[in-house]
Amino acid sequence: TVISQFQHSALPSITSPITFRELTSILSFTTIYKPEWNLSVPLNLLLILFLVLFIKLLSHNYSKALKKEKNGLNLFLSIFLVPIVFFALISIPPLKPYFMERYMAHFVIFAYALIGVTLDSAWRNGKHLSSIVLTFLTLGLLVSGMNNLNKTGNFNFQSLNKPNAKTIRKDIGNCTSSTVVAEDPFSYIDASYYYSNCDLRFFSKDELGPYGGYVPLRFSTSRVSSTNDINAFTVYHLHWQKDPEFKISQDSRYRLVRSTNFDKHYLDEYKLINQP
């Protein structure tokens, strides 16, 4: 099952291998919620200072810790670092890289906890000044990160766009007598929450395989393999900026009456002009 998952990822081509750039992004995203390419010089310096102070205090605490305490520190470090090492190893050719920063969300909790443990131990070991500096630096970075997250909202840093499913749904309006076709399973999943009262379909020429995040859509009655599966008077086509695979524009039965773009998302409205 694991081998099958790695050979047939349902992800688009937005993953990357683990390099120094990705390691920097892990640090910047989990503190100030910014990608590494969006960091200013002052922010870089603050992050470097934070990392140096944290490693210094952690090393000092480790040298002073009892065996039981060292086991605890090793556990926290392992839970956070092992996934990074794993993603790095599967990035080695000929394997395909699968890393995205958001995959660290499950493990970064233990890094936050480790910061707290490190500060407490450092204070008890007499490192008062370093503890105070790291405390205020950590709080400043994390508060800044929460503020950045609040301002940024739901934004995809890989494709550089915001999900627009809700906005597009409002633009369609009443859809009880029409069919909405999403360009692919990903678009379908992204949109499905807002189309509970619509005939929402997705295009996939072939049946979906038993792997990846699209498994729940396997053998779905909502799949259409060509425009021949569609006969509604009005058809809305949800697709991306690139050339669509669902070629309704080449179906002589339909005429394009409206095309609207929402950032990198497109909504095309077609009307049936020739009855089959």
Side-chain angles (χ1 to χ4, degrees):
T1 299
V2 171
I3 293 173
S4 175
Q5 292 285 344
F6 280 121
Q7 291 177 334
H8 304 92
S9 171
L11 288 171
S13 301
I14 57 176
T15 53
S16 60
I18 290 285
T19 64
F20 280 108
R21 177 179 178 178
E22 278 66 36
L23 292 175
T24 304
S25 284
I26 292 173
L27 176 62
S28 62
F29 265 117
T30 56
T31 51
I32 55 176
Y33 198 73
K34 280 181 177 288
E36 53 82 25
W37 47 263
N38 200 22
L39 295 178
S40 63
V41 173
L43 285 176
N44 272 295
L45 293 175
L46 287 174
L47 287 174
I48 291 172
L49 177 60
F50 163 79
L51 192 60
V52 169
L53 267 177
F54 173 66
I55 293 175
K56 180 181 177 182
L57 289 181
L58 180 61
S59 300
H60 180 266
N61 294 340
Y62 198 87
S63 64
K64 301 286 185 179
L66 301 174
K67 182 179 179 181
K68 183 178 179 180
E69 294 169 336
K70 287 182 179 179
N71 290 338
L73 291 173
N74 288 336
L75 178 63
F76 276 91
L77 281 169
S78 298
I79 294 175
F80 179 64
L81 295 179
V82 167
I84 298 177
V85 174
F86 171 76
F87 282 117
L89 291 175
I90 65 171
S91 297
I92 300 174
L95 299 176
K96 179 183 177 182
Y98 285 97
F99 178 74
M100 283 192 284
E101 293 85 1
R102 65 172 180 247
Y103 289 171
M104 295 307 302
H106 311 84
F107 314 107
V108 73
I109 318 167
F110 296 91
Y112 295 146
L114 187 60
I115 294 172
V117 171
T118 299
L119 287 169
D120 175 70
S121 298
W123 182 270
R124 288 188 288 106
N125 286 329
K127 295 289 185 178
H128 295 161
L129 179 59
S130 297
S131 299
I132 292 172
V133 173
L134 183 58
T135 296
F136 282 99
L137 183 57
T138 302
L139 289 174
L141 291 173
L142 293 179
V143 169
S144 174
M146 288 186 286
N147 183 56
N148 288 334
L149 175 58
N150 181 59
K151 290 190 299 183
T152 303
N154 190 8
F155 185 81
N156 190 318
F157 284 98
Q158 277 75 34
S159 55
L160 300 179
N161 72 88
K162 286 191 174 185
N164 291 293
K166 185 176 181 180
T167 304
I168 296 173
R169 174 66 186 90
K170 287 182 178 179
D171 186 81
I172 290 176
N174 186 2
C175 62
T176 53
S177 60
S178 58
T179 295
V180 182
V181 181
E183 172 65 12
D184 48 42
F186 182 88
S187 303
Y188 176 85
I189 293 172
D190 182 52
S192 59
Y193 177 83
Y194 303 100
Y195 291 79
S196 58
N197 61 337
C198 303
D199 180 24
L200 179 65
R201 311 290 186 90
F202 68 91
F203 171 75
S204 180
K205 186 176 179 181
D206 302 312
E207 185 57 72
L208 301 176
Y211 36 71
Y214 302 150
V215 172
L217 297 181
R218 196 179 189 210
F219 306 125
S220 171
T221 56
S222 296
R223 183 179 75 89
V224 296
S225 58
S226 72
T227 57
N228 294 330
D229 297 333
I230 300 295
N231 293 294
F233 180 76
T234 302
V235 177
Y236 293 98
H237 183 202
L238 307 175
H239 64 94
W240 309 98
Q241 195 172 21
K242 64 180 183 179
D243 183 41
E245 295 291 330
F246 182 64
K247 303 295 185 182
I248 190 171
S249 60
Q250 299 177 11
D251 192 323
S252 59
R253 298 176 299 155
Y254 287 95
R255 174 173 58 90
L256 178 66
V257 297
R258 181 170 68 101
S259 182
T260 312
N261 75 291
F262 303 82
D263 195 5
K264 296 181 180 180
H265 304 257
Y266 286 76
L267 171 65
D268 295 339
E269 180 181 353
Y270 289 87
K271 297 289 185 182
L272 187 67
I273 56 175
N274 295 322
Q275 295 294 335

